[in-house]
Amino acid sequence: MRKLNLSTAQQIISAAFEKAEALGLKPLTVAVMDDGGHLVALARQDGSSILRPQIACGKAFGALAVGTGTRFLNTAAEVRPHFVQALNGVAGGAIVPVPGGVLVRDGAGEVLGAVGITGDTSDNDEAAALAGIASVGLEADCG
Amino acid sequence: MRKLNLSTAQQIISAAFEKAEALGLKPLTVAVMDDGGHLVALARQDGSSILRPQIACGKAFGALAVGTGTRFLNTAAEVRPHFVQALNGVAGGAIVPVPGGVLVRDGAGEVLGAVGITGDTSDNDEAAALAGIASVGLEADCG
Amino acid sequence: MRKLNLSTAQQIISAAFEKAEALGLKPLTVAVMDDGGHLVALARQDGSSILRPQIACGKAFGALAVGTGTRFLNTAAEVRPHFVQALNGVAGGAIVPVPGGVLVRDGAGEVLGAVGITGDTSDNDEAAALAGIASVGLEADCG
Amino acid sequence: MRKLNLSTAQQIISAAFEKAEALGLKPLTVAVMDDGGHLVALARQDGSSILRPQIACGKAFGALAVGTGTRFLNTAAEVRPHFVQALNGVAGGAIVPVPGGVLVRDGAGEVLGAVGITGDTSDNDEAAALAGIASVGLEADCG
């Protein structure tokens, strides 16, 4: 696959929601971006609060911005807060540096895009992203 | 229905894409927002260019901002450009005042949300939105 | 080619500068972006003024934003100024809608990126972009 | 030399990439700015993530902003975080205060510009910048 296309993105979202239901998670919002950081698909479950689309996008974009999952940025924010603050400065505030932003790679390691999920704990958000990515046979990079 | 929920939004998107295929339109991006102007679902077809998510959202948000479809804003932009410019000033530039942003109302006239579509001509974008809204039995307001 | 890589971008820039020299153009700035609207390479010739990098990027990004060269946006700005103003609203002012932003496609029509050039007249800027893109055997879309 | 010209900037970039290859670094992005804080040349290696151009520029600009390399700002961010935060306030968020932004001076100590590099650890980014600046016989100031 050259691009993370719409049907793949929609399948990732469906599988993430199935995982969330199996785990009994709160209502989620899922954003799937291509490798350029542009939305391919987004879905906000009933009851997921109003800023969740921006948070989900902020996780997906954060992963793509630095080329690894946002778990890396979460650690960086604790160890070198001035770096992550500055990163958000040059990003125009578009990055949410907590787990739940997961890079999507193909078998050769090429970045195809990213998934950002929010609504439950960051760890559970990430678990749903991993299930979504696994469902389409692609590789996940949590950071 | 009190809220435009996710399954309704996804059905609107599917029906809009079917209409686009029947008409032979270019790749579209569709945004569906609730009555608060917040995304419920978005889908960008393969080949739809990178700023299309923002344009689709700008049409849907524009319709909700003034309480009617963006066809109204398109006319206003020609007749009273200073009004639409000022509107975008208070909106932080978030409004795209051309046809293709269609308000979604229930049978009682209550606003449930809006659909914004971009990718082909503004008229064709709007036609796809109308088909999407009709498919779920709700009322469309083009402005 | 899956991506517009660095060596291709640098070759485009070299060939654009050769064309500019042959035509006796003023000092140019050339930006080459990938399909996600992210810089791959930029070069500003001695004497090219200080905002030229942003202008060159604004042309390249404008082409990618709407999926065609900025000659399309130049016409749109004259015919439907409110559309192009709104486009720049949702783009955060990142688009320069005049000729000289040229989309780069492969032989199958897939968008690989864009070239933005500024420094001389818009027509001459575009001519240099075309020469650059031709030098690497890719297709140009001026809009 | 009064100005850091394009051929010098391109030579700095080439030498930085050679050093990176010798050290086995990850894909880098290099920005070279003149003494006014304006880009002269930028190159992003294949695989360097999408926000790297902004990060590289943020390091180069940070060095020029305070007249010394960003290693100074990194220390300041730890010791006096309110100063660096305020600095980024007046800079509109354009500064990335971590090592890898290196000031370029001539033999008389005059500031000619700055190099910003990102992609590997901050220390390795800086090492590549030093190699680039040394290759053109100019003086480096890491801060």
Side-chain angles (χ1 to χ4, degrees):
Chain A
M1 191 188 325
R2 185 178 164 277
K3 279 283 187 183
L4 204 161
N5 60 29
L6 177 57
S7 66
T8 303
Q10 289 175 325
Q11 166 60 22
I12 289 172
I13 292 173
S14 294
F17 286 157
E18 283 170 25
K19 181 69 172 182
E21 192 175 3
L23 294 175
L25 304 189
K26 294 180 186 169
L28 301 183
T29 297
V30 182
V32 182
M33 288 184 171
D34 66 19
D35 62 336
H38 303 287
L39 265 181
V40 178
L42 181 143
R44 177 162 64 106
Q45 290 187 303
D46 304 346
S48 192
S49 59
I50 62 174
L51 204 70
R52 297 288 172 189
Q54 288 86 337
I55 300 170
C57 288
K59 291 185 180 186
F61 186 73
L64 290 159
V66 293
T68 188
T70 50
R71 191 166 284 278
F72 165 83
L73 289 174
N74 190 60
T75 302
E78 290 166 353
V79 178
R80 292 203 302 164
H82 60 283
F83 170 64
V84 175
Q85 285 166 16
L87 195 65
N88 239 340
V90 294
I95 291 171
V96 178
V98 301
V102 181
L103 217 57
V104 181
R105 298 182 187 273
D106 65 16
E110 283 289 310
V111 175
L112 297 179
V115 177
I117 302 191
T118 181
D120 204 282
T121 67
S122 292
D123 285 349
N124 283 338
D125 295 340
E126 186 186 80
L130 291 176
I133 296 166
S135 79
V136 293
L138 293 169
E139 303 297 320
D141 174 355
C142 292
Chain B
M1 189 190 323
R2 188 178 157 273
K3 279 282 188 184
L4 204 162
N5 60 27
L6 177 57
S7 66
T8 302
Q10 288 175 325
Q11 167 60 23
I12 289 172
I13 291 173
S14 293
F17 285 158
E18 283 169 25
K19 179 70 172 182
E21 192 175 3
L23 294 175
L25 304 189
K26 293 180 187 169
L28 301 183
T29 298
V30 181
V32 182
M33 288 183 171
D34 66 19
D35 62 336
H38 304 287
L39 264 182
V40 178
L42 182 144
R44 179 163 62 108
Q45 290 188 303
D46 305 346
S48 192
S49 61
I50 62 175
L51 203 70
R52 298 289 171 188
Q54 288 87 337
I55 299 171
C57 289
K59 291 185 180 187
F61 188 74
L64 290 158
V66 293
T68 187
T70 49
R71 190 167 284 278
F72 164 83
L73 288 174
N74 190 59
T75 302
E78 290 167 351
V79 178
R80 293 200 302 163
H82 58 284
F83 168 64
V84 174
Q85 284 167 17
L87 192 67
N88 240 339
V90 293
I95 292 172
V96 178
V98 301
V102 182
L103 216 58
V104 181
R105 297 182 188 274
D106 65 14
E110 283 290 309
V111 174
L112 297 180
V115 177
I117 301 191
T118 181
D120 204 282
T121 67
S122 292
D123 286 349
N124 285 338
D125 295 339
E126 186 186 79
L130 291 176
I133 296 166
S135 79
V136 293
L138 293 169
E139 304 296 319
D141 174 355
C142 292
Chain C
M1 191 188 324
R2 184 178 165 276
K3 278 282 189 184
L4 206 161
N5 59 28
L6 177 57
S7 66
T8 302
Q10 288 174 326
Q11 166 60 23
I12 289 172
I13 291 174
S14 294
F17 285 157
E18 282 169 25
K19 181 69 171 182
E21 191 174 4
L23 294 175
L25 304 188
K26 294 179 186 170
L28 301 183
T29 297
V30 182
V32 182
M33 288 183 170
D34 65 18
D35 62 336
H38 304 287
L39 265 182
V40 179
L42 182 144
R44 177 162 63 106
Q45 291 188 300
D46 304 345
S48 192
S49 59
I50 61 174
L51 204 70
R52 297 289 170 187
Q54 288 86 338
I55 299 171
C57 288
K59 291 185 181 187
F61 186 73
L64 290 159
V66 294
T68 188
T70 50
R71 190 166 284 278
F72 164 83
L73 289 175
N74 191 59
T75 302
E78 291 167 352
V79 177
R80 292 203 302 164
H82 60 283
F83 170 64
V84 174
Q85 285 167 15
L87 195 65
N88 239 339
V90 293
I95 291 173
V96 178
V98 301
V102 182
L103 217 57
V104 181
R105 296 181 188 275
D106 65 15
E110 282 290 309
V111 174
L112 296 180
V115 177
I117 302 191
T118 181
D120 205 281
T121 66
S122 291
D123 286 348
N124 284 338
D125 295 341
E126 185 185 81
L130 291 176
I133 296 166
S135 78
V136 292
L138 294 170
E139 304 297 319
D141 174 354
C142 292
Chain D
M1 190 190 321
R2 186 177 158 276
K3 279 281 188 185
L4 204 162
N5 60 28
L6 178 56
S7 66
T8 302
Q10 288 174 325
Q11 167 59 23
I12 289 172
I13 291 173
S14 293
F17 285 157
E18 283 169 25
K19 181 69 172 182
E21 192 176 2
L23 295 175
L25 304 189
K26 294 181 187 168
L28 301 183
T29 297
V30 182
V32 182
M33 288 183 171
D34 65 19
D35 61 336
H38 303 287
L39 265 182
V40 178
L42 181 144
R44 178 161 64 106
Q45 290 188 301
D46 305 345
S48 191
S49 62
I50 62 175
L51 203 72
R52 298 289 170 188
Q54 287 88 336
I55 299 171
C57 289
K59 291 185 181 186
F61 188 74
L64 290 158
V66 293
T68 188
T70 49
R71 190 166 284 277
F72 165 82
L73 288 174
N74 190 60
T75 303
E78 291 166 352
V79 178
R80 293 200 303 161
H82 58 284
F83 168 63
V84 174
Q85 285 167 16
L87 192 67
N88 241 340
V90 294
I95 292 172
V96 178
V98 301
V102 182
L103 216 57
V104 181
R105 297 181 187 273
D106 64 15
E110 283 289 310
V111 174
L112 297 179
V115 177
I117 302 190
T118 181
D120 205 282
T121 66
S122 293
D123 286 348
N124 284 338
D125 296 340
E126 186 186 81
L130 292 177
I133 296 166
S135 79
V136 293
L138 293 168
E139 304 297 319
D141 173 355
C142 292

